[in-house]
Amino acid sequence: MCGIIGFTGYLDAKNVLLDGLTALEYRGYDSAGIAFFHKNSIQTIKTTGKVSSLRDKVTSSSEFTSTCGIGHTRWATHGGVSDTNSHPHTFGRVTLIHNGIIENYHDLELELAALGKHPVSQTDTEIAAMLLDSLYEGDAVAAIKKAIKRLEGAYAFCILFADEPEVIYCLRNGSPLVACQTKEGSVIASDMVALIRYSKDYFVLPEMHIARLTKDNITVTDLDDVIINPKMLHVNWDMTAARKGGYPHFMLKEIHEQPESIRSTIAPRIKNKRLPDFSADEIPDQVFDHIHRIVIVACGTAMHAGLVGKVMMEKLLRIPVTVEIASEFRYQDPIIDTNTLLITISQSGETADTLAALRLANEHQSKTLSIVNVKGSSIARESDYVLYTHAGPEIAVASTKAYTAQLSCLYLIAYHFALIKGTITENDCVKQIEELQAVIPAIEKTLTLADEINKICLNLSEKEDLFFIGRGLDYALSCEGSIKLKEISYIHSEAYAAGELKHGTLSLVTEGIPVIALATQSNVYNKMISNIREVRAREALVILITNGESDVDSSIYDYHITLPKLSDTMAPFTTAVVLQLLAYYTSVHRGLNVDQPRNLAKSVTVE
Ligand code: F6R
């Protein structure tokens, strides 16, 4: 989604803004622009396409100097992709950039039209600039406060007022903004990846507060003009984590980071290397008292992690667990109460639908626990309890290391809760924790299968449709394999519970159609082999994945990927890595933009 960077200080602002926008490219965008003060007047340069094109345009305007400005990458929502619709937008004395959506922009536009004011773009953002300009009488904060009363929707703004040079005003409601103050100046951005080159210490601008950035200071006030000191946060990663580090793509780098990200996620939560311990996360055991039901809510890959979590939790806890797609859940009048534990899962911690579902659960006074990667994000802050995944920044749009880190957290929750409930013994729990730790070397081994998988992908990359099938945990993994492949290779694929194929979909399985068959679960292994025979009888091209060696009849597959042997419940970790590599190499063979697939954004902050 859109990216924001703002800077005022002692550096060349144009460079700071362009570097910030480059760092934010991973979020997905279709145009980019900057606005800055040059000799006390505001200059704007914007373009459709890549930040590199914007950089070229800026470089050719070298007559401009600046130490204060704002920059934006736009992911079109209202109005097509065009230079005019790109941000920043200027109206009168106001120039601004915006993330989010102004839902009542049309009503505002009609009101402004009655005053003879008309936009030149088709965007909701320009209407916000027009509104602010119409309310501005020389006092920026007063105008912003009046505008807040009129604006509906989710938004983050960085605003320049023409008659207040070198100052940036910021405001947010729903969409994130993080800021830091350094000796080089004040910086604000939509995410930490753009700030990290200046500082590891930052704060999240609280919602409905106004930040005023000057060269030496950031002042945050609430809507009653009371100055507040936001809580400072710290990240333990640096610039190298936000670079490719020798890999051709962020996605491949992040796939290879999984042993480390799982280790970092589980190690601090295992007491004496034996039992789960959430005391450092300040999650008391009482959270699990009187819980009769668990509802897991998330979107996309995070939701698929929830599908695995459901199997693990129901197995260990013997209480019902449902997994809900956040965009559906929020409109379903869900049955949740004070005895429900609602677990939200989100890499970004900002996904609009997941956040809305969490808010709904908070209204119902359910207990809320979130599994989040980004510190201080909205979902983390609004949940009763948070388990952070320590995966480091995930830059590729396709989620990989966040997914397996989410699985690790879900497994730990299941073990911890089961111990508290007494549904597993300490000895069993110790054994399961050992199995979880064994996942790390097993993933390292799985990564050595990359060349073998790459060769299979050469064949897959020429296909237009394929299927993933599996049973039990393998069905949950099939869903994840399918979304990963679709999003970065643009090959149509579907995930099916293997036993369900013959109830309709088998009619689509014809000669040469690839079927990626996951057979890692011993309790349904023979059933799975029968299902593979069904597709083989229709001459499907079968890619079989098994957990350890298997003496399966070689006539039923074309390719066989043998995972390092793990217990059934741990097989999702290694299977996920194979599915990620399958998607990755298929996309590479098709010559696509692996890290920034078309139409997609990393952090989906709109509904
Ligand atoms: C797929 C992918 C998306 C995200 C989804 C939720 O690879 O990355 O499906 O999983 O948009 O995002 P978060 O986890 O940030 O809530």
Side-chain angles (χ1 to χ4, degrees):
M1 300 255 108
C2 308
I4 281 180
I5 176 87
F7 173 79
T8 179
Y10 300 96
L11 303 172
D12 178 341
K14 298 190 298 327
N15 286 340
V16 174
L17 301 178
L18 289 168
D19 290 344
L21 294 182
T22 305
L24 293 168
E25 279 192 293
Y26 77 98
R27 294 166 67 96
Y29 70 104
D30 39 52
S31 54
I34 62 173
F36 49 87
F37 284 100
H38 164 75
K39 295 187 179 157
N40 291 349
S41 76
I42 295 175
Q43 303 293 329
T44 300
I45 304 176
K46 49 191 191 175
T47 182
T48 51
K50 292 285 158 194
V51 174
S52 55
S53 313
L54 178 68
R55 198 179 280 273
D56 291 344
K57 260 190 161 175
V58 173
T59 312
S60 62
S61 317
S62 57
E63 74 272 20
F64 294 129
T65 56
S66 179
T67 51
C68 173
I70 54 180
H72 191 261
T73 45
R74 174 176 187 250
W75 189 81
T77 55
H78 290 61
V81 179
S82 68
D83 285 5
T84 314
N85 286 343
S86 337
H87 303 205
H89 286 281
T90 298
F91 200 92
R93 294 149 300 171
V94 172
T95 296
L96 57 74
I97 53 178
H98 164 224
N99 280 4
I101 290 181
I102 307 301
E103 287 168 1
N104 60 335
Y105 83 99
H106 188 57
D107 294 342
L108 295 171
E109 184 176 355
L110 294 177
E111 275 181 37
L112 291 159
L115 301 174
K117 296 175 192 254
H118 301 282
V120 293
S121 74
Q122 289 92 49
T123 63
D124 53 335
T125 302
E126 192 183 357
I127 304 299
M130 292 166 67
L131 176 71
L132 262 169
D133 182 65
S134 72
L135 300 170
Y136 182 58
E137 292 167 352
D139 179 343
V141 170
I144 291 170
K145 287 201 290 192
K146 282 185 208 158
I148 287 173
K149 294 197 176 123
R150 305 299 325 279
L151 295 168
E152 289 170 18
Y155 46 79
F157 289 111
C158 287
I159 312 160
L160 305 178
F161 289 87
D163 45 11
E164 208 173 340
E166 309 301 310
V167 176
I168 306 172
Y169 286 91
C170 307
L171 161 76
R172 79 176 195 99
N173 173 35
S175 299
L177 281 176
V178 289
C180 68
Q181 173 71 55
T182 72
K183 60 182 186 337
E184 286 149 338
S186 306
V187 201
I188 192 151
S190 48
D191 81 58
M192 196 52 204
V193 169
L195 289 196
I196 192 72
R197 66 169 64 225
Y198 306 102
S199 176
K200 285 182 168 188
D201 298 300
Y202 68 106
F203 67 86
V204 178
L205 177 62
E207 293 202 9
M208 291 303 183
H209 283 63
I210 298 167
R212 183 176 186 272
L213 278 68
T214 61
K215 287 179 189 305
D216 301 306
N217 198 7
I218 303 179
T219 316
V220 178
T221 48
D222 67 14
L223 298 184
D224 295 321
D225 300 325
V226 176
I227 294 179
I228 64 127
N229 293 312
K231 185 175 168 209
M232 291 305 293
L233 298 168
H234 179 81
V235 287
N236 51 11
W237 46 271
D238 58 19
M239 279 287 283
T240 51
R243 290 197 178 120
K244 286 187 193 145
Y247 287 90
H249 298 102
F250 280 111
M251 183 178 176
L252 190 61
K253 174 177 175 249
E254 287 160 8
I255 290 172
H256 279 82
E257 283 172 347
Q258 290 177 104
E260 193 45 46
S261 56
I262 294 172
R263 187 179 291 117
S264 309
T265 300
I266 64 175
R269 286 148 182 156
I270 299 176
K271 191 167 50 183
N272 304 329
K273 298 191 175 161
R274 295 179 78 240
L275 292 172
D277 174 16
F278 291 170
S279 49
D281 299 288
E282 297 179 13
I283 302 178
D285 292 357
Q286 293 72 12
V287 173
F288 299 103
D289 285 350
H290 313 295
I291 293 299
H292 300 159
R293 185 168 172 237
I294 296 176
V295 178
I296 300 176
V297 190
C299 300
T301 285
M303 189 273 288
H304 294 155
L307 296 176
V308 176
K310 168 190 162 77
V311 176
M312 288 300 295
M313 287 180 189
E314 287 194 332
K315 187 175 145 129
L316 292 176
L317 303 174
R318 308 310 303 160
I319 58 173
V321 181
T322 51
V323 181
E324 308 281 348
I325 297 169
S327 53
E328 291 294 311
F329 176 82
R330 59 184 292 194
Y331 295 112
Q332 262 169 5
D333 193 8
I335 308 166
I336 46 175
D337 57 22
T338 50
N339 298 123
T340 306
L341 175 66
L342 185 121
I343 302 179
T344 47
I345 309 175
S346 176
Q347 187 284 129
S348 61
E350 300 293 349
T351 301
D353 286 314
T354 310
L355 180 60
L358 168 66
R359 287 178 175 161
L360 191 64
N362 284 337
E363 276 167 31
H364 283 73
Q365 291 168 354
S366 301
K367 289 180 180 163
T368 55
L369 166 63
S370 61
I371 298 174
V372 174
N373 198 39
V374 177
K375 262 195 193 167
S377 54
S378 303
I379 292 175
R381 282 179 297 107
E382 294 190 30
S383 302
D384 296 334
Y385 304 98
V386 190
L387 267 188
Y388 282 112
T389 46
H390 298 307
E394 193 178 61
I395 308 283
V397 164
S399 186
T400 53
K401 61 176 178 172
Y403 172 78
T404 45
Q406 287 159 357
L407 294 190
S408 317
C409 284
L410 288 161
Y411 280 50
L412 288 175
I413 294 170
Y415 300 148
H416 188 49
F417 192 3
L419 258 188
I420 294 168
K421 262 178 79 74
T423 48
I424 54 169
T425 63
E426 254 192 46
N427 280 347
D428 278 346
C429 190
V430 169
K431 196 163 156 269
Q432 305 240 17
I433 292 276
E434 281 168 6
E435 289 179 358
L436 183 59
Q437 288 164 322
V439 155
I440 296 167
I443 291 184
E444 278 159 0
K445 250 181 159 177
T446 307
L447 289 167
T448 66
L449 301 174
D451 286 345
E452 183 188 332
I453 294 168
N454 188 1
K455 285 185 195 129
I456 301 172
C457 295
L458 195 56
N459 191 340
L460 290 187
S461 65
E462 285 165 11
K463 307 289 181 181
E464 287 308 324
D465 301 281
L466 61 77
F467 293 93
F468 287 83
I469 59 171
R471 286 169 170 262
L473 282 171
D474 281 338
Y475 172 55
L477 268 289
S478 296
C479 295
E480 177 51 16
S482 177
I483 196 179
K484 210 93 304 171
L485 188 86
K486 270 186 272 222
E487 67 176 321
I488 61 167
S489 77
Y490 313 156
I491 294 176
H492 165 246
S493 82
E494 291 192 40
Y496 269 88
E500 185 67 9
L501 268 185
K502 53 183 159 300
H503 298 288
T505 310
L506 202 52
S507 62
L508 293 175
V509 177
T510 53
E511 186 186 346
I513 290 279
V515 175
I516 297 169
L518 314 186
T520 71
Q521 300 299 302
S522 50
N523 65 330
V524 286
Y525 179 79
N526 289 335
K527 305 251 174 255
M528 190 61 206
I529 297 299
S530 305
N531 295 136
I532 296 172
R533 287 189 191 284
E534 286 162 9
V535 297
R536 194 63 171 170
R538 275 87 192 166
E539 299 183 58
L541 178 125
V542 173
I543 297 148
L544 172 67
I545 301 175
T546 58
N547 180 12
E549 295 295 337
S550 134
D551 53 4
V552 62
D553 167 6
S554 63
S555 70
I556 67 161
Y557 60 79
D558 296 278
Y559 302 101
H560 180 189
I561 300 170
T562 307
L563 300 171
K565 179 79 181 145
L566 286 174
S567 67
D568 283 10
T569 50
M570 298 303 156
F573 288 91
T574 43
T575 307
V577 172
V578 168
L579 298 177
Q580 293 162 358
L581 289 170
L582 276 171
Y584 173 77
Y585 286 114
T586 305
S587 175
V588 170
H589 286 303
R590 286 168 78 98
L592 298 172
N593 186 343
V594 176
D595 286 336
Q596 291 164 36
R598 70 182 175 209
N599 303 341
L600 296 177
K602 183 65 184 163
S603 177
V604 183
T605 48
V606 295
E607 244 195 82

